[in-house]
């Protein structure tokens, strides 16, 4: 196929498996956290089998074993995880100069992936509504967790790292294809921790729940809320089922575009979670989609204990050294994260703007 060939496929190399799915493949009630690995879905089996095969074949930058993990004492309950190899061996992030940097064909991009790094090509057949664009699923060669993947909207199109509604729609559908309660997808924008300026999202299996899955939200309007749980407040969208994924994707991307116009970077996370009123509200779980707005940061700042991207904003801290992992406190971690946030009055003014925008 064109995308695989653009990734450098040689004659005789295998193409990624065509994974055609329909609405019947969506898992509306995933496993609980008390038994997260029970009854994996067809998507989980295909993804994890391919991912493990590539790990055995040495296609990753390091062999990922069990990662030391602890919950930092304190009310926010940040999850710290030691991953020294990712810090030492991942590809250096691309230099980014602005929120609107164009795609650079001379820099690393996903057309350069080896064919064996591609696992699946996701394509929906049938309803509900028009299908999203197909997505390629590739390994993340510097993984955070087992099953860490990249979701790529046809790399041959050479789109810069600016979120689009069709790409987000496809990623949200991929979340519903998993039966694991911790499978989530996310996006780092330019100036918000993106390391490659070529449109991609991340997918990974979290090993434990985060507070933002169940915490109640404040309403900012009929289509927008504010979630204060976790280390960083986020704008909140909720999709109760498959039919809501396309309009939610459009709303999130419209809001993200507004942030870019205001000179702000963004991060997005979509995870299984409770409706806006929180746990025990009486209706079923759906997808919580969180949008963080932040001043853009280009390049690392000396003295920061860790970089801040979507995982850190959500409360998961992949840490680069054993000493930092052993000794960091919740207060220190929150201080590092909150240097990247907007002052609350500015955040609330922005929330009011977004609420009006989404109703217009």
């Amino acid at each position: 196929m064109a995308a695989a060939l653009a990734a450098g496929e040689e004659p005789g190399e295998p193409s990624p498996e065509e994974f055609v799915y329909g609405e019947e493949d969506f898992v509306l009630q995933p496993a609980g956290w008390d038994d997260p690995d029970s009854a994996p879905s067809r998507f989980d089996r295909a993804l994890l089998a391919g991912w493990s095969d590539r790990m055995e074949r040495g296609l990753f930058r390091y062999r990922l074993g069990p990662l030391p993990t602890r919950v930092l004492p304190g009310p926010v309950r940040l999850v710290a995880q030691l991953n020294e190899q990712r810090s030492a061996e991942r590809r250096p992030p691309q230099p980014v100069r602005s929120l609107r940097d164009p795609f650079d064909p001379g820099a690393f991009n996903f057309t350069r992936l080896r064919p064996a790094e591609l696992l699946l090509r996701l394509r929906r057949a049938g309803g509900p509504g028009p299908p999203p664009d197909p997505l390629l699923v590739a390994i993340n060669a510097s993984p955070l967790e087992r099953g860490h993947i990249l979701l790529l909207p046809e790399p041959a199109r050479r789109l810069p790292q600016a979120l689009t509604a069709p790409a987000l729609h496809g990623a949200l559908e991929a979340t519903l294809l998993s039966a694991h309660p911790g499978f989530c997808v996310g996006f780092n924008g330019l100036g918000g921790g993106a390391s490659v300026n070529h449109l991609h999202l991340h997918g990974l299996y979290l090993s434990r729940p985060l507070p933002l899955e169940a915490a109640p939200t404040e309403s900012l309007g009929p289509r927008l809320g504010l979630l204060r749980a976790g280390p960083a407040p986020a704008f909140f969208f909720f999709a109760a089922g498959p039919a809501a994924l396309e309009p939610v994707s459009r709303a999130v991307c419209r809001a993200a575009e507004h942030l870019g116009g205001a000179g702000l970077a963004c991060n997005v996370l979509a995870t299984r979670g409770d409706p806006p009123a929180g746990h025990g509200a009486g209706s079923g779980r759906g997808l919580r989609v969180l949008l963080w707005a932040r001043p853009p940061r280009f390049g690392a700042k000396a003295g920061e204990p860790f970089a801040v991207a979507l995982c850190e904003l959500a409360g998961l801290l992949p840490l680069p050294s054993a000493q930092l992992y052993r000794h960091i406190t919740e207060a220190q971690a929150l201080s590092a994260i909150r240097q990247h946030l907007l002052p609350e009055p500015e955040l609330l003014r922005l929330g009011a703007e977004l609420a009006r925008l989404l109703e217009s």
Side-chain angles (χ1 to χ4, degrees):
M1 69 188 61
L5 291 171
E9 184 172 345
E10 298 293 336
E13 285 278 2
S15 295
E17 176 187 341
E18 188 84 358
F19 189 95
V20 180
Y21 63 93
E23 189 172 7
E24 68 278 4
D25 291 295
F26 292 143
V27 182
L28 303 183
Q29 296 298 324
W33 277 107
D34 54 340
D35 189 13
D37 295 317
S38 66
S41 68
R42 183 168 71 96
F43 171 76
D44 294 320
R45 292 193 298 271
L47 189 162
L48 292 171
W51 196 94
S52 298
D53 170 74
R54 276 36 169 211
M55 180 63 72
E56 291 301 317
R57 292 163 59 184
L59 293 173
F60 290 80
R61 287 178 170 257
Y62 48 86
R63 189 170 185 86
L64 187 73
L67 297 171
T69 303
R70 71 185 184 99
V71 177
L72 302 188
V76 181
R77 298 191 61 76
L78 298 171
V79 178
Q81 199 165 60
L82 178 61
N83 194 335
E84 294 175 289
Q85 291 173 295
R86 177 175 168 85
S87 174
E89 300 182 34
R90 68 182 297 206
R91 180 182 294 107
Q94 290 177 12
V96 175
R97 298 171 298 279
S98 79
L99 295 173
R100 300 191 183 279
D101 270 11
F103 176 87
D104 179 1
F108 172 80
N109 61 77
F110 300 119
T111 68
R112 301 184 182 182
L113 293 178
R114 294 167 290 180
E117 294 180 76
L118 304 174
L119 304 178
L120 304 170
R121 184 176 185 268
L122 303 182
R123 180 172 63 84
R124 172 154 66 81
D133 292 344
L135 289 176
L136 279 173
V137 178
I139 63 170
N140 187 316
S142 301
L144 287 165
E145 292 269 12
R146 176 173 175 260
H148 187 178
I149 56 169
L150 301 173
L151 297 164
L152 310 173
E154 299 297 358
R157 296 170 62 191
R158 302 188 173 200
L159 299 173
Q161 183 68 350
L163 191 59
T164 67
L168 180 58
H169 183 191
L172 297 186
E173 290 200 345
T175 309
L176 290 189
L177 291 174
S178 175
H180 191 286
F183 184 77
C184 60
V185 299
F187 172 85
N188 293 317
L190 296 180
S195 61
V196 178
N197 187 13
H198 191 181
L199 182 55
H200 66 286
L201 295 95
H202 294 265
L204 68 158
Y205 292 84
L206 299 181
S207 58
R208 62 183 65 205
L210 298 174
L212 52 76
E213 294 178 19
T217 68
E218 304 168 23
S219 175
L220 298 178
R223 302 182 184 182
L224 185 70
L226 181 66
L227 178 70
R228 294 185 182 272
F235 297 116
F236 174 92
F237 304 79
F238 186 73
L245 299 184
E246 193 271 337
V248 164
S249 299
R250 283 191 283 106
V252 172
C253 288
R254 194 175 181 196
E257 184 178 3
H258 183 83
L259 298 185
L264 298 171
C266 74
N267 303 84
V268 176
L269 177 73
T271 181
R272 301 278 187 165
D274 293 323
H279 182 65
S283 56
R285 299 193 112 203
L287 285 188
R288 288 184 160 207
V289 185
L290 307 177
L291 171 68
W292 286 278
R294 55 190 289 184
R297 177 72 59 85
F298 304 113
K301 183 178 178 181
E304 285 188 317
F306 50 81
V308 175
L310 72 93
C311 286
E312 292 78 10
L313 294 170
L316 174 65
L317 310 181
L319 298 177
S321 74
Q323 181 176 3
L324 183 62
Y325 171 77
R326 286 194 299 266
H327 298 295
I328 193 169
T329 66
E330 181 180 273
Q332 291 168 335
L334 291 177
S335 175
I337 293 169
R338 288 172 178 170
Q339 292 180 35
H340 295 260
L341 306 183
L342 297 173
E344 181 159 326
E346 185 177 348
L347 180 75
L348 295 177
R349 284 196 301 273
L350 184 61
E353 291 177 10
L354 292 179
R356 290 193 296 271
L357 174 73
L358 296 176
E359 288 307 299
S360 63

